[in-house]
Amino acid sequence: MHKPFPKLWLWQLLLAALMFGLWWALTAGNILPPFFFGEPLKVVERVFAWFSSGAIWEHIGITLLETALAFAIGTLLGLGFGLWLALSPTASALADPYIKAANAMPRVVLAPIFAVWFGLGIWSKVALGVTLVFFIVFFNVFQGIREVSPVLIANARMLGASRRQLLSHIYLPSATAWVFSSLHTSVGMAFVGAVVGEYLGSSRGVGYLILQAEGAFDINTVFAGILVLTGFALLLDALVSFAEKRLLKWQPQHTERAGN
Amino acid sequence: MSLPKQPKEAAASGAALDFRAVTVRFPPRQKGDKAFTAVREATLTVGAGEFVSVVGPTGCGKSTLLNVAAGLHRPAGGEIKIFGHVLQGLNRQAGYMFQADALLPWKTAFENVILGLQFRGMAEQEAADLGNYWLMKVGLGHAGDRYPHQLSGGMRKRVALAQTLIVDPKILLMDEPFSALDIQTRQLMENELLALWQADRKSVLFITHDLEEAISLSDRVVVLSAGPETRPIGDFQIGLPRPRDVAEVRLTPAFLELHERIWHAMREEVLKGYAQTLS
Ligand SMILES: Nc1ncnc2c1ncn2[C@@H]1O[C@H](COP(=O)(O)OP(=O)(O)OP(=O)(O)O)[C@@H](O)[C@H]1O
Ligand SMILES: [Mg+2]
């Protein structure tokens, strides 16, 4: 990667400060009504209070737990079903219209149903996240398995691989690579599922904080909640990048060896 | 082992590979098109312990023939016998070095080399020893823990060679194995292959587009016609003395004379094949 200009992060930070400044100027000068647009200083104050009192951690913990569970369960299910359907043409032909229908359906409308099924605790949020994660992983694995180079398979078969060995040495690693390529999206979706689930009905979690503040017309707290969510979304994304680097060390980096 | 020796010997009699009027078709790309006949009634044998090269214009059906010999592609007509037995399913006696890259990208060079041993359930330590031995043998003792994308094209070919030979197949199917190598490495590898072959006389079906390589390595060179419906149109015995050095043998008058004769037979087909790729 070439650098557009030196000290990029400094400029990026400056840009953020500039935006906050603009926000502050507009709302303090009453050009935008603070009742609807919040006041940046109070928002920051609120975030600071949350962390200094430690009250926020319980909510963040719940949201992250829901995210992690939704991600793990959705990924495992997607991997399993993806492998199964990709390797069994009859099953995939049979399931095809249903999968398409289920994927086309806006899954957020399932949230009330999950609330009825699983209650207002974490599991209804996990379920919503799972429905979002599952399809991303499923389609990636399915496509990935279908696109495994036939030469790799022929070569392994000539070397004496049984069907099971083909699965464990070729299909599974290949599918895992595709799961990783969609990791950013699927972790993001697990997070979305958790927060949206909380927002639609819960008693804990960052989504709940936002819901409550909104009910009280406390726009500053809503913004503070959004700020915290964004921060943790970025953190999760960085974590994924880190895991990706460790686990996919067999893959060429984008910058090296494009020609071979 | 108390197996009676006689029947086993009898079963092992006959040519290593025996193509009998083999026809290969590919299904039409669209409905209404005719099926594409890549190979038509090709008859070709590779004797036990023989080194046979196949040359022919690009796209004529060389790789297709190898796929048939490997049992990866069923011929539409004719049959192929392996040591006297009609081939059904995969050819378990053959090792196949593919033209395209076939290393598993998520395994290191070492792990790729021992893959066939793993599939056979060999003990880990034994497999590791054999793997290291073969890595050394192809000159990659230092690169065992690198992934394929960290190897040069030539190094990858050498890993593939070790991967194929480590399981000690009786028949060796090789599809342009050295065409990606520079001339020095290539001649080293060719000499190495000849030495290995001389040691235990595998039956080799070797595909190349390089006539000089074919002559310097083989007992026989078979020329294929331009496709479609390719078939052998020439079969030349190479009587050059062994052991050979592939670089030196090219300078002998006998070599030049053979080259002249085979090239004469090939030239027309090569031009035909080239004209087809243009149209
Ligand atoms: N799976 C396939 N489906 C349809 N046609 C095929 C298929 N595989 C090969 N062919 C056709 O069969 C012919 C022979 O192909 P093949 O790969 O055997 O050629 P080749 O002699 O190995 O060529 P090269 O020297 O370039 O490797 C070609 O015309 C090719 O287009
Ligand atoms: Mg070929």
Side-chain angles (χ1 to χ4, degrees), chain B residues 35-77:
Chain B
F36 179 80
T37 307
V39 180
R40 172 161 224 126
E41 301 195 348
T43 295
L44 168 71
T45 60
V46 178
E50 197 178 20
F51 196 126
V52 176
S53 287
V54 170
V55 291
T58 177
C60 73
K62 303 184 292 294
S63 300
T64 304
L65 272 183
L66 269 201
N67 284 336
V68 169
L72 290 167
H73 193 104
R74 278 180 76 80

Side-chain angles (χ1 to χ4, degrees), chain B residues 115-131:
Chain B
L115 201 56
L117 303 180
Q118 247 182 334
F119 290 155
R120 282 163 177 70
M122 182 183 273
E124 213 168 301
Q125 188 57 49
E126 202 182 340
D129 291 344
L130 210 52

Side-chain angles (χ1 to χ4, degrees), chain B residues 66-88:
Chain B
L66 269 201
N67 284 336
V68 169
L72 290 167
H73 193 104
R74 278 180 76 80
E79 62 177 20
I80 168 158
K81 285 188 171 178
I82 310 299
F83 291 116
H85 296 289
V86 175
L87 177 63
Q88 269 155 348

Side-chain angles (χ1 to χ4, degrees), chain B residues 109-119 127-128 130-132 163 166:
Chain B
F110 172 78
E111 289 166 339
N112 265 293
V113 166
I114 63 165
L115 201 56
L117 303 180
Q118 247 182 334
F119 290 155
L130 210 52
N132 285 322
Q163 183 188 55
I166 200 170

Side-chain angles (χ1 to χ4, degrees), chain B residues 223-243:
Chain B
V223 179
L224 293 182
S225 69
E229 308 199 350
T230 192
R231 69 207 147 71
I233 50 163
D235 192 332
F236 299 84
Q237 205 74 37
I238 310 296
L240 302 171
R242 293 191 190 267

